Amino acid sequence: MMGNLAIATGVFLATVSGAMAQSAPATVPPGFSASSPSISFSSPGIGFASPGIAFASPPMTDDELALGPKPAAPPPPVVKGLEVKEVEGGVRYTLSADILFDFDKATLRSKATQALEAMSDDVRQRFTKALFLVDGYTDSKGSDSYNLKLSVRRAEAVKDFLVRKQNFQTALITTEGRGEANPVAPNETPQGKDDPEGRQKNRRVEILVRPAE
């Protein structure tokens, strides 16, 4: 009996001792801190927070910026008699002379305003400051000298509108009269007959716009 009691007592004491050991706080050496302001754990959600860790991206170099994505160009205006084409170094606007002028005239028609205003608005969206080269063209009807003078007057009429009505700087607008040079379509058919549609395409004003330095 005494032997069994001693064994039972020992088991009981060992069990109590183990339970106390599990519930007793761990001994922390002097000078040691278990808190970390940078890293914390939360339970029971097992969340992890690290307010002390931040990632910073260094500023991009000029080369990196040049290789980065470019802002999308605005959609070209949809106006009768106006064509817009992006070219190397700028944008070329082609306006039908039949929209801008009456036959054999260099005075802008009232309906020319819509096309020139749409072009001007598009220029402002694309360029902070712009250089203009305004080229006037005619078809092949008439003498070379007459057509050259007419194309100069028409280019000057467009420049005058851009300066007076759209407030572009006159010093940034250059004009040229090209006459019947550089046709974009045949003035005659392969059979040698007149080609009215081709001549109409050749009567035009082209405006090359580039960014000003």
Side-chain angles (χ1 to χ4, degrees):
M1 288 290 294
M2 291 298 292
N4 293 337
L5 179 61
I7 292 173
T9 303
V11 172
F12 173 77
L13 292 175
T15 303
V16 173
S17 177
M20 292 177 63
Q22 291 181 359
S23 61
T27 302
V28 179
F32 176 82
S33 174
S35 62
S36 173
S38 299
I39 302 177
S40 62
F41 295 91
S42 62
S43 182
I46 313 181
F48 175 76
S50 179
I53 299 178
F55 295 92
S57 177
M60 297 180 69
T61 65
D62 292 339
D63 290 339
E64 290 172 333
L65 290 172
L67 295 174
K70 302 295 188 298
V78 181
V79 177
K80 183 179 180 180
L82 172 64
E83 295 182 2
V84 183
K85 182 179 180 181
E86 293 187 10
V87 297
E88 184 176 358
V91 180
R92 187 182 303 279
Y93 300 89
T94 301
L95 299 106
S96 169
D98 294 345
I99 293 292
L100 299 179
F101 309 102
D102 288 324
F103 177 74
D104 199 30
K105 301 295 183 182
T107 302
L108 287 172
R109 306 170 68 184
S110 58
K111 65 173 59 177
T113 299
Q114 182 182 10
L116 289 172
E117 286 180 345
M119 186 210 74
S120 300
D121 291 342
D122 192 66
V123 169
R124 292 190 181 94
Q125 290 185 60
R126 295 174 184 267
F127 305 99
T128 303
K129 189 176 183 181
L131 291 172
F132 296 78
L133 174 59
V134 183
D135 288 331
Y137 292 90
T138 68
D139 60 23
S140 61
K141 292 286 186 179
S143 67
D144 291 348
S145 60
Y146 181 84
N147 286 335
L148 184 62
K149 292 177 182 178
L150 178 61
S151 65
V152 170
R153 289 160 49 209
R154 287 181 167 179
E156 287 292 334
V158 171
K159 175 181 178 178
D160 183 66
F161 179 91
L162 296 176
V163 172
R164 291 190 306 104
K165 299 296 185 180
Q166 297 298 316
N167 298 316
F168 290 109
Q169 298 180 35
T170 184
L172 299 179
I173 305 176
T174 303
T175 60
E176 291 283 351
R178 306 292 184 180
E180 59 188 74
N182 305 324
V184 295
N187 289 292
E188 296 180 347
T189 67
Q191 292 74 31
K193 296 182 179 180
D194 182 52
D195 187 344
E197 292 183 0
R199 287 192 293 104
Q200 183 183 38
K201 293 178 181 178
N202 292 328
R203 296 190 298 268
R204 67 197 189 277
V205 173
E206 292 186 357
I207 305 175
L208 176 62
V209 183
R210 295 168 295 173
E213 297 293 338

